[in-house]
Amino acid sequence: MTGATGARTTGGVSYWWADLGIPEPQDPLAGDVEADVVIVGAGYTGLWTAYYLAGLRPDLDVRVVEQRFAGYGASGRNGGWLSASVTGGLDGYARTHPRTDVARFQLAMNDAVEEVIAVAERHGIDAEVRRGGTLLVARNAAQAGRAREAARTAARWPETGARLLGADEADRRIRVAGTRAAIWEPHCARINPARLVQGLARVVRERGVRIHEGTTVRGIATGWVETDRGTVRARHVIRATEGFTAGLAGERRTWVPMNSSMIVTDPLPPLAWAEIGWAHHDTLEDFAHVYSYAQRTPDGRIAIGGRGNPYRFGSRTDLDGDIPDRTVQHLRAVLCSWFPQVGEVGIAHAWSGVLGVPRNWRATVGYDAASGRGWAGGYVGTGVTATNLAGRTLADLVAGERTERTTLPWVDQRARPWEPEPLRWLGIHGLYRAYGLADRLEARGGRRTSWVATLADRVSGR
Ligand SMILES: Cc1cc2nc3c(=O)[nH]c(=O)nc-3n(C[C@H](O)[C@H](O)[C@H](O)COP(=O)(O)OP(=O)(O)OC[C@H]3O[C@@H](n4cnc5c(N)ncnc54)[C@H](O)[C@@H]3O)c2cc1C
């Protein structure tokens, strides 16, 4: 039976955490301390940085400070796509960087997918990995045009391994109603996000790093961070707060916190799976401008996500993943349009999270050796794999090592700040309305990408 909202549970951080059990915060900071490195935020970025740093420099005293518990943010709430996709796109980087460097970036992302899986295996983290690649489906003529365009891009960047599939071939992987064409990319696996972050936090602690949970940072400065439980002084100070960054003093316009929302169904009956297929657990997305993304869970549910309310005035972030009823209904409508046979399936849980978006829509990792301050984030919703590469790169930079990673194009990307309010709110909501309109126009016919979307792309600077 579904509740008034259409989902039996809403918020509660995420389905992934509710399933595992929300942890009690451990080891809160007990007054002022001195350390070598302090990392703010215990999501994947902060934890991967700590993991590699503890390996490279076991002599350093590394502390992670986290307002709630490790994995409370997007890292414990996401769609579980461990994907090699480069935020900002390869063609975009090729306009500002040598082609060989851009190709190297893609190969590093491909490797990072393998690295996450290998680290999980090495340390007995059961992240429920299924390697099925990614299927991106085109469901109208304009979307099919974008799929062909994506295939042309892939031909320029063979490092992605992406290829165009006809409707029949796509259907043999996953039967999404109305598929006309698809792109399939090999470098992706589905994971259980909370299991990965929980396991990673355990391993990081085993490597001697202290994670001070239940400790909120109020200010970050050169040489120290101030928390509600004391001050941590350290030579190296790393900001790994991603979608929450706007809440820190002086960072309100650095990256906007964009929302992404998800629902998960009850397990589908075997008959439904027989019709849908999805035997390889590919992650799944469509070519809509306001796209939706999904995965099949190992216990036979569908978890599907999309934009919902894109942005809250003044860069406010949510707390426990609450989600309005209309977003649940929207995601259910997308689910039923992709898979009409799921009909009245129950929605077990609905939640949301925030992700960070820089003004140039490109993720970044940076470190200033003079001040000892570092940061990584702005993954625009594709951070599950990128956080691994970012954390590894930050560890290299803090350790003072020049590696293949420290010269990749995303290192030290600077974007201008977002516009002040109310322009920011008006702009972001205006853009998402325009993309929604473009999707509706394309669904009515027309073989090309709607001019509305082309204009919105130009305005947004994507
Ligand atoms: C619903 C949703 C679906 C997504 N799906 C995918 C996907 O399928 N694939 C993909 O690649 N990416 C996806 N993403 C994006 C991906 O989850 C993120 O890019 C990634 O998890 C970012 O990790 P992070 O460690 O940088 O940030 P977070 O995981 O958000 O961690 C930041 C941490 O900092 C802590 N923090 C913040 N402020 C403070 C403070 N003042 N003091 C102390 N601690 C603080 C937070 O509590 C949090 O734990 C999705 C995101 C969302 C929200």
Side-chain angles (χ1 to χ4, degrees), residues 40-46 65-69 71-75 77-81 215-217 240-244 248 260-262 293 353-355 379 381-385 387:
V40 182
Y44 300 137
T45 299
V65 186
E66 164 59 45
Q67 59 181 350
R68 293 285 290 272
F69 56 84
Y72 172 74
S75 300
R77 306 186 194 196
N78 61 70
W81 284 46
T215 304
T216 301
V217 169
T241 47
E242 235 265 322
F244 299 86
L248 296 168
S260 200
S261 303
M262 297 200 71
Y293 53 90
V354 284
L355 42 100
Y379 308 107
T382 51
V384 174
T385 307
T387 47

Side-chain angles (χ1 to χ4, degrees), residues 54 64 82 133 148 167-168 191 213 244 249 254 287 298 302 312 347 374 422 442:
V64 183
L82 182 65
R148 285 191 295 276
D168 289 348
I191 58 152
E213 295 178 320
F244 299 86
T254 307
F287 269 98
I302 297 176
R312 297 174 72 206
I347 305 298
E442 290 177 4

Side-chain angles (χ1 to χ4, degrees), residues 392-445:
R392 221 172 165 186
T393 307
L394 271 174
D396 292 344
L397 290 166
V398 170
E401 297 199 359
R402 192 178 158 83
T403 63
E404 273 281 295
R405 289 177 289 274
T406 60
T407 54
L408 288 174
W410 70 334
V411 176
D412 232 357
Q413 278 286 314
R414 307 278 169 142
R416 66 184 161 96
W418 281 86
E419 289 73 1
E421 294 290 24
L423 281 181
R424 198 155 73 237
W425 188 92
L426 287 170
I428 293 169
H429 279 263
L431 280 175
Y432 275 91
R433 288 209 170 188
Y435 284 128
L437 172 64
D439 282 332
R440 288 194 297 283
L441 291 173
E442 290 177 4
R444 279 192 218 146

Side-chain angles (χ1 to χ4, degrees), residues 39-46 66-67 73-75 78 87 220 238-248 251-260 315 317 353-358 361-365 374-384 386-387 390 410 418:
I39 297 167
V40 182
Y44 300 137
T45 299
E66 164 59 45
Q67 59 181 350
S75 300
N78 61 70
T87 311
I220 302 185
I238 308 295
R239 192 188 77 219
T241 47
E242 235 265 322
F244 299 86
T245 301
L248 296 168
E251 304 288 353
R252 186 157 298 276
R253 290 164 56 196
T254 307
W255 299 330
V256 293
M258 210 81 100
N259 296 312
S260 200
S315 289
T317 55
V354 284
L355 42 100
V357 180
W361 303 80
R362 287 183 180 183
T364 183
V365 40
W375 59 90
Y379 308 107
V380 197
T382 51
V384 174
T387 47
W410 70 334
W418 281 86

Side-chain angles (χ1 to χ4, degrees), residues 1-12 15 263-267 301 323 325 328-329 332 344-351:
M1 204 184 77
T2 56
T5 63
R8 286 197 300 279
T9 307
T10 58
Y15 165 74
I263 58 173
V264 66
T265 67
D266 289 330
R301 302 166 192 266
I323 171 171
D325 189 28
V328 180
Q329 300 307 342
R332 179 193 259 288
E344 290 300 298
V345 68
I347 305 298
H349 201 130
W351 71 98

